[in-house]
Amino acid sequence: MPTAPPVDLHAAAAELGVHYQTAYRWVRTGRLPAVKVAGRYQVDRSALERFAHDRAAPSAVPTPGPRRLSGQAERMHEALVAGDDTTARRIARRLDEEGATISDVITEVLSPPLQRIGQAWRDGELSIWVEHRATAIVERILGELTPTPRGRRRGTVVVAAVSGDLHALPTAMAAATLRADNWQVEHLGADVPPEELVHFCAAHDVSVVALSLTNVAVADVAEGLAATLRGAGTPVVLGGAGRSLDDLVAEVREAVSH
């Protein structure tokens, strides 16, 4: 029986459902066997299958619990205030490798420090550039941790915020969480004109729209857009204060089940 050809590291990462940098780190630490051919890492098919099997097998290492995550949130806060990109990303990667879900990392480790930093800026204790720098670091972390799930997608969800809602990070957090739940995500970001979102949905096969809402001043605009889209047959989940990422996932699933 012929031996299956090796796959390059990008393809291996896609099959494992992880970011390329995660697979690269596994190669560099020796967890995933690979050889370099013409400047590109190649992974033997049998080695890839064994690695995938071992990852999927039950592990004796417990998933990080609330106390562990809370402790990492404090370390993350220190790293974000200091602008220590390396440490912040290392904390998030380690939690990912230990089995924490991206929703837990966002909710328990990334969001609390960002909220503290935002409050400190409003209180005049920190400069605005500290907040902006911390946000940029978290955006890079989300890019590294966002998985590429295997198997058939549940559907296509559009994630956006309407004109006047300028906070892009909540939409990025929602997009990452929904990708982890095996949705095809069209992430349009913040400050999207309502009419453009209507046109987008009319031109694409959209299962549901998830609207982030962090600026109460545009709540009427978001609710009006939601009514328009629903009237056109597109389900909408509207976010807001006090809504968790787990709530978002549950509501998006429910929206397409009717």
Side-chain angles (χ1 to χ4, degrees), residues 9 22-35 41 43:
L9 194 54
T22 300
Y24 176 70
R25 186 169 64 256
W26 288 337
V27 169
R28 293 297 300 271
T29 57
R31 292 182 61 192
L32 178 61
V35 295
Y41 281 106
V43 182

Side-chain angles (χ1 to χ4, degrees), residues 161-227:
V162 299
S163 297
D165 200 327
L166 307 180
H167 295 285
L169 190 55
T171 69
M173 290 177 170
T177 302
L178 290 167
R179 285 194 178 101
D181 195 47
N182 216 16
W183 292 88
Q184 178 67 39
V185 177
E186 296 282 1
H187 181 203
L188 305 187
D191 202 28
V192 178
E195 63 274 13
E196 292 297 328
L197 191 48
V198 171
H199 293 159
F200 182 92
C201 292
H204 297 80
D205 184 13
V206 174
S207 306
V208 59
V209 172
L211 286 179
S212 172
L213 180 60
T214 58
N215 181 2
V216 295
V218 298
D220 289 345
V221 176
E223 290 168 0
L225 173 59

Side-chain angles (χ1 to χ4, degrees), residues 39-92:
R40 298 172 66 90
Y41 281 106
Q42 300 286 323
V43 182
D44 182 76
R45 169 60 63 182
S46 60
L48 179 61
E49 291 173 354
R50 285 195 302 272
F51 185 84
H53 177 271
D54 291 344
R55 273 191 87 219
S59 173
V61 178
T63 299
R67 182 176 298 178
R68 162 77 165 145
L69 292 173
S70 176
Q72 296 309 303
E74 184 60 37
R75 291 187 60 216
M76 181 65 73
H77 177 262
E78 294 173 359
L80 292 178
V81 170
D84 188 347
D85 182 282
T86 300
T87 296
R89 292 160 73 181
R90 184 184 299 124
I91 292 168

Side-chain angles (χ1 to χ4, degrees), residues 57-144:
S59 173
V61 178
T63 299
R67 182 176 298 178
R68 162 77 165 145
L69 292 173
S70 176
Q72 296 309 303
E74 184 60 37
R75 291 187 60 216
M76 181 65 73
H77 177 262
E78 294 173 359
L80 292 178
V81 170
D84 188 347
D85 182 282
T86 300
T87 296
R89 292 160 73 181
R90 184 184 299 124
I91 292 168
R93 285 197 301 265
R94 184 176 297 119
L95 290 171
D96 177 58
E97 291 172 352
E98 291 175 355
T101 66
I102 193 164
S103 175
D104 283 344
V105 172
I106 291 171
T107 302
E108 304 293 340
V109 180
L110 297 176
S111 293
L114 288 174
Q115 291 166 2
R116 287 175 61 186
I117 291 169
Q119 187 60 54
W121 166 68
R122 288 188 290 274
D123 293 341
E125 298 171 2
L126 290 175
S127 299
I128 187 63
W129 57 261
V130 177
E131 183 185 36
H132 287 187
R133 184 175 64 183
T135 297
I137 292 172
V138 170
E139 287 174 343
R140 288 192 287 275
I141 289 172
L142 291 177
E144 288 187 1

